[in-house]
């Protein structure tokens, strides 16, 4: 099988309503690597949910094509739904049923044989930490518990790919941590996880690769590491040097270096704004000036910086 | 492949355990009992006052009570079960969860229909049994074997009548974005069919075929105590009444209620209007006379269910 679990080519969804049209997803090309944790990031209304709905066969694309686990999302939609675990936004649980009854129903819809069903349900309830409350009605669950039950229903079919739409919305810090631990554990078992969210701080750090969506288009995508490097090369390097000695003389020397755009004095060191990575040259100059460098580091842009850069700027595909 | 029975059994279990279903059946049972008792007392006092005998036999005494009670109950139970069948799942988000499983959409909607059919059958049977039992106790008559056959047929047609309203309600539930919309439109339709159309039909008939009793009164030699029309005049009046009845029936025939009432008249032998004395048809003759009306109810149920099915299968789950 391909090294990608999701591939889309020119995937487009146009909604028609009230005589007008809304392009929810606009000619999308993107890929998700196997065994990765992929973050689909973007503000509300960016088209993330529509994209996930198309991938899981809940809505049909207007044009373009896509494959999930090697199956065509239109022609082989049922195979896709057989193989992919999906946690919809809001978790989509029957609140009047117990946790176990919810899972029983989903297991039956997936044709899991009865003798195997009970054991699998109990195992999964144990994994998500809900075994003790399996006989309680979902209406009495906290949001975090509902989310874990939602993940449990998605895990029932033992999916290779787990897609979750806004899984952390409304979770308290403890619920959020439990969720992250669970996602890491599931990923360590070899499952690919796709997380869609507008809450960058919650799931961003979990992701090995991301795509940022805005107005139906992916404005940037790739591995977090590559995107950070790209942003640094585009926007410059922020280098912090902690020194002992005459930092004023050192700053003057640095200002004359090729690529240096500015130097700012800090409490214990200097902040250097440069167009390239000049750490080696900085150490060399310090040595020439007999200035002791205690530490030197490049301050990498955070995911938030990435998000704001590409979200605000509209961006281009990486 | 997940079967229709998986969806049907869960849906049926949800329906019969729901407060809505239990309350509806209980309330209607109480209303039926009160209705039977009050009608019995009214008929008894009227019969004594006029010095005429009470109708004899079970059907003769209880039929109109049973028929009019069920004519209200069956549509309401049909609407109550159908109005949120699809829109309710959509609102709760459970539709996304279910349709993200490897299930065909027709399996889902067929399962819903089967469950509702079974629940409607139980509800109508309980309501009819309460009616019949109440009539036996209050009116003090015992149904004969033929009465039982007629009642069984009547229950079957009542189920069909309820299913036709279920079809209308599930169609509206499929189309409507919100359950409140489908409830409002379903109940409004029921009210129009039950109350507005018969009034409109009478008004239209009166406008086009007024009965000219004033004309008779105005003839020379006629006064308030001598208004007996001549045979020719009587024939003309009867023709006018027949023409009015034909117009009324033609307009009423757009409602399922009219066809159910006709079926009840033929099967239970209830007098239709002042022009129709009790038909006294055999069961076979009653069935033969009722079949065009049965066909209309079957068509209403089939067309609405097929339309719901076609819309739902193509509908996007957003």
């Amino acid at each position: 099988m391909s090294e990608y679990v999701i591939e889309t080519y020119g995937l487009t969804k146009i909604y028609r309503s009230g005589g007008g049209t809304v392009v929810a997803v606009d000619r999308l090309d993107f890929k998700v690597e196997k065994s990765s944790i992929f973050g689909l990031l973007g503000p509300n209304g960016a088209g993330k949910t529509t994209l996930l709905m198309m991938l899981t066969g809940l809505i049909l694309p207007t044009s373009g094509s896509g494959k999930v686990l090697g199956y065509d999302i239109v022609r082989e939609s049922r195979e896709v739904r057989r193989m992919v675990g999906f946690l919809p936004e809001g978790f989509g649980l029957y609140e009047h049923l117990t946790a176990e009854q919810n899972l029983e129903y989903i297991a039956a819809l997936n044709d899991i044989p009865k003798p195997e069903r009970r054991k699998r349900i109990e195992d999964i309830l144990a994994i998500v930490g809900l075994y003790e409350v399996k006989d309680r009605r979902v209406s009495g669950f906290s949001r975090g518990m509902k989310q874990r039950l939602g993940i449990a229903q998605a895990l029932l079919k033992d999916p290779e790919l787990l897609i979750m739409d806004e899984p952390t919305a409304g979770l308290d810090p403890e619920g959020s941590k439990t969720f992250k631990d669970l996602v890491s554990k599931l990923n360590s078992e070899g499952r690919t996880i796709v997380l869609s969210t507008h809450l960058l701080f919650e799931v961003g750090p979990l992701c090995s690769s991301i795509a940022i969506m805005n107005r139906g288009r992916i404005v940037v995508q790739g591995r977090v590491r590559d995107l950070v490097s790209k942003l640094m090369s585009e926007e410059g390097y922020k280098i912090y040097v902690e020194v002992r000695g005459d930092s004023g003389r050192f700053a003057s020397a640095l200002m004359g270096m090729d690529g240096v755009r500015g130097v700012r004095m800090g409490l214990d060191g200097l902040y250097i704004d440069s167009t390239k990575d000049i750490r080696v040259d900085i150490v060399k100059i310090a040595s020439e000036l007999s200035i002791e460098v205690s530490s030197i580091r490049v301050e990498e842009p955070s995911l938030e910086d990435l998000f704001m850069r590409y979200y605000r700027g509209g961006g281009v595909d990486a | 492949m997940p079967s229709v029975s998986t969806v049907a059994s869960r849906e049926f279990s949800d329906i019969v355990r729901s407060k809505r279903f239990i309350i509806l059946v209980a309330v209607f049972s109480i209303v039926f009992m009160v209705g039977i008792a009050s009608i019995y007392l009214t008929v008894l006092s009227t019969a004594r006052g006029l010095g005429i005998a009470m109708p004899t036999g079970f059907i003769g005494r209880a039929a109109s009570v049973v028929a009019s009670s069920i004519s209200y109950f069956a549509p309401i139970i049909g609407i109550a079960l159908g109005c949120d069948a699809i829109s309710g799942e959509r609102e709760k988000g459970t539709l996304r969860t279910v349709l993200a499983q490897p299930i065909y959409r027709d399996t889902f909607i067929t399962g819903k229909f089967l469950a509702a059919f079974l629940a409607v059958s139980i509800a109508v049977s309980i309501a009819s049994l309460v009616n019949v039992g109440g009539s036996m106790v209050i009116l003090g008559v015992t149904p004969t074997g033929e009465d039982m056959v007629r009642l069984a047929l009547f229950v079957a047609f009542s189920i069909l009548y309820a299913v036709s309203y279920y079809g209308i309600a599930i169609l509206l539930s499929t189309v409507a974005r919100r359950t409140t919309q489908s409830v409002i439109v379903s109940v409004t339709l029921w009210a129009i069919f039950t109350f507005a159309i018969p009034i409109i039909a009478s008004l239209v008939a009166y406008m086009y075929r007024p009965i000219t009793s004033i004309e008779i009164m105005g003839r020379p030699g006629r006064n308030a105590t001598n208004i007996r029309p001549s045979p020719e005049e009587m024939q003309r009046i009867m023709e006018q009444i027949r023409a009015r009845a034909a117009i009324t029936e033609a307009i009423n025939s757009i409602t399922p209620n009219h066809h159910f009432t006709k079926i009840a008249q033929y099967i239970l032998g209830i007098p239709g209007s002042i022009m129709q004395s009790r038909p006294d048809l055999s069961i076979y003759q009653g069935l033969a006379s009722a079949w065009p009306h049965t066909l209309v109810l079957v068509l209403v149920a089939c067309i609405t269910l097929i339309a719901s099915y076609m819309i739902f299968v193509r509908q996007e789950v957003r």
Side-chain angles (χ1 to χ4, degrees):
Chain A
M1 205 182 82
S2 160
E3 60 179 310
Y4 298 109
V5 289
I6 296 175
E7 298 168 75
T8 71
Y9 305 97
L11 202 63
T12 302
K13 181 67 195 180
I14 300 171
Y15 291 122
R16 289 179 176 80
S17 64
T21 57
V22 177
V23 182
V25 173
D26 190 7
R27 291 162 290 165
L28 221 64
D29 297 315
F30 91 111
K31 292 176 178 177
V32 175
E33 278 179 14
K34 197 175 176 181
S35 304
S36 64
I37 300 179
F38 184 88
L40 188 60
L41 312 174
N44 287 326
K48 306 182 300 291
T49 297
T50 300
L51 172 61
L52 298 188
M53 299 282 225
M54 284 194 282
L55 294 176
T56 48
L58 290 170
I59 55 176
L60 292 172
T62 308
S63 62
S65 63
K67 283 191 169 187
V68 172
L69 297 169
Y71 295 105
D72 187 283
I73 58 171
V74 176
R75 289 195 308 273
E76 297 166 302
S77 148
R78 203 159 155 263
E79 287 309 312
V80 172
R81 284 179 282 134
R82 186 186 296 281
M83 309 289 286
V84 176
F86 179 55
L87 174 67
E89 187 178 1
F91 318 131
L93 301 164
Y94 289 94
E95 303 247 339
H96 62 287
L97 300 180
T98 66
E100 192 173 28
Q101 285 168 341
N102 265 281
L103 297 188
E104 284 270 5
Y105 183 45
I106 298 299
L109 291 176
N110 281 281
D111 246 1
I112 297 169
K114 268 194 176 174
E116 193 187 321
R117 205 179 287 173
R118 180 148 297 276
K119 188 181 178 317
R120 199 186 290 190
I121 287 171
E122 286 181 355
D123 288 350
I124 288 172
L125 280 169
I127 289 170
V128 298
L130 294 174
Y131 184 80
E132 301 302 321
V133 292
K134 66 188 170 86
D135 295 323
R136 266 175 55 183
R137 281 192 179 197
V138 174
S139 54
F141 278 17
S142 69
R143 192 164 174 84
M145 289 161 84
K146 286 179 187 172
Q147 179 227 47
R148 281 182 280 146
L149 184 60
I151 294 174
Q153 68 78 13
L155 286 175
L156 268 176
K157 55 184 102 170
D158 194 16
E160 205 178 309
L161 170 63
L162 190 57
I163 296 178
M164 298 190 245
D165 190 11
E166 297 284 0
T168 56
L171 286 189
D172 58 22
E174 192 186 340
S176 181
K177 187 186 176 306
T178 311
F179 169 75
K180 286 175 201 168
D181 293 343
L182 184 59
V183 167
S184 300
K185 183 175 180 294
L186 294 171
N187 181 244
S188 69
E189 292 167 359
R191 298 179 212 272
T192 310
I193 317 275
V194 174
L195 303 164
S196 143
T197 186
H198 68 286
L199 301 171
L200 183 67
F201 308 97
E202 291 292 344
V203 299
L206 272 175
C207 302
S208 48
S209 54
I210 59 166
I212 296 176
M213 272 191 92
N214 195 18
R215 293 177 189 164
R217 303 208 71 184
I218 285 184
V219 290
V220 69
Q221 62 178 313
R223 290 169 191 266
V224 174
R225 181 74 255 158
D226 297 343
L227 293 174
V228 166
S229 303
K230 185 172 180 292
L231 186 63
M232 284 165 70
S233 66
E234 281 174 7
E235 300 212 328
Y237 288 69
K238 307 275 185 283
I239 302 168
Y240 178 70
V241 194
E242 202 177 323
V243 292
R244 284 182 195 151
D246 188 352
S247 55
R249 192 159 57 95
F250 186 38
S252 304
L254 290 175
M255 280 299 288
M257 279 181 68
D258 181 32
V260 173
R261 294 191 294 209
V263 178
R264 187 165 54 85
M265 303 285 283
L267 273 178
D268 299 314
L270 302 171
Y271 293 93
I272 301 153
D273 182 9
S274 165
T275 55
K276 57 185 181 182
D277 189 357
I278 52 166
R279 279 177 291 182
V280 175
D281 300 324
I282 290 170
V283 173
K284 200 184 287 176
I285 288 175
S287 167
E288 285 168 7
L289 297 174
S290 304
I291 289 170
E292 188 186 338
V293 174
S294 310
S295 71
I296 181 167
R297 64 173 188 271
V298 174
E299 295 199 335
E300 293 185 344
S302 63
L303 266 171
E304 293 83 68
D305 294 330
L306 262 177
F307 184 78
M308 293 316 289
R309 158 72 174 80
Y310 290 108
Y311 168 47
R312 278 188 177 160
V316 289
D317 286 349
Chain B
M1 193 187 85
S3 61
V4 171
S5 64
T6 305
V7 179
S9 61
R10 192 203 57 79
E11 183 73 13
F12 178 72
S13 156
D14 281 359
I15 291 172
V16 295
R17 286 180 191 177
S18 69
K19 284 179 189 161
R20 175 175 45 179
F21 183 81
I22 295 166
I23 289 171
L24 263 177
V25 174
V27 166
F28 269 90
S29 299
I30 293 164
V31 170
F32 291 165
M33 298 298 285
V34 172
I36 291 165
S38 68
I39 288 170
Y40 172 70
L41 292 173
T42 309
V43 170
L44 191 66
S45 62
T46 310
R48 277 182 184 158
L50 296 174
I52 55 172
M54 284 279 286
T56 54
F58 180 80
I59 290 292
R61 289 192 185 187
S64 59
V65 181
V66 173
S68 69
S69 307
I70 295 295
S71 73
Y72 285 100
F73 176 69
I76 289 175
I77 195 83
I79 289 171
L81 299 188
C83 65
D84 69 342
I86 303 296
S87 57
E89 297 249 9
R90 196 185 291 128
E91 274 176 343
K92 290 174 205 152
T94 47
L95 195 59
R96 284 183 184 179
T97 305
V98 170
L99 296 183
Q101 312 309 323
I103 180 176
Y104 290 116
R105 290 191 184 194
D106 55 343
T107 304
F108 181 72
I109 200 162
T110 309
K112 286 230 161 216
F113 168 68
L114 282 182
F117 178 75
L118 206 57
V120 159
S121 304
I122 289 173
V124 171
S125 301
I126 290 172
S128 303
L129 280 175
V130 168
N131 256 294
V132 173
S135 303
M136 284 168 67
V137 172
I138 296 169
L139 303 179
V141 286
T142 312
T144 62
E146 186 184 325
D147 289 344
M148 292 307 288
V149 173
R150 284 181 187 272
L151 283 167
L153 284 169
F154 174 74
V155 168
F157 285 115
S158 302
I159 291 167
L160 174 63
Y161 180 46
V163 167
S164 68
Y165 265 97
Y166 175 80
I168 292 169
I170 198 173
L171 174 61
L172 292 167
S173 171
T174 308
V175 175
R177 285 229 163 272
R178 302 202 157 274
T179 298
T180 45
Q181 292 172 337
S182 74
V183 171
I184 290 168
V185 179
S186 301
V187 172
T188 306
L189 265 181
W190 171 75
I192 289 171
F193 288 163
T194 308
F195 306 112
I197 299 276
I199 294 170
I200 291 167
S202 298
L203 288 175
V204 172
Y206 183 79
M207 276 169 59
Y208 284 95
R209 287 283 184 275
I211 295 172
T212 52
S213 55
I214 302 299
E215 203 177 299
I216 298 163
M217 283 283 291
R219 294 265 175 90
R222 299 280 167 83
N223 54 48
T225 56
N226 180 22
I227 57 168
R228 189 181 294 274
S230 67
E232 295 78 30
E233 285 171 333
M234 191 62 202
Q235 193 180 348
R236 195 159 55 85
I237 291 169
M238 293 307 278
E239 276 168 12
Q240 284 173 332
I241 292 173
R242 279 196 198 94
R244 284 182 69 169
I247 292 172
T248 310
E249 278 214 16
I251 296 172
N252 279 336
S253 66
I254 64 168
T255 70
N257 308 39
H258 168 77
H259 298 282
F260 175 71
T261 307
K262 299 300 281 185
I263 291 169
Q265 286 170 10
Y266 291 127
I267 298 298
L268 296 179
I270 304 164
S273 67
I274 56 166
M275 294 299 298
Q276 296 166 296
S277 58
R278 190 181 153 195
D280 264 341
L281 301 174
S282 69
I283 293 173
Y284 178 77
Q285 286 169 327
L287 282 173
S289 304
W291 85 262
H293 303 287
T294 310
L295 187 65
V296 172
L297 290 188
V298 169
L299 278 175
V300 170
C302 288
I303 289 169
T304 49
L305 289 169
I306 289 168
S308 310
Y309 165 85
M310 288 174 73
I311 293 168
F312 182 65
V313 165
R314 292 166 192 200
Q315 203 166 47
E316 293 187 326
V317 183
R318 290 165 70 178

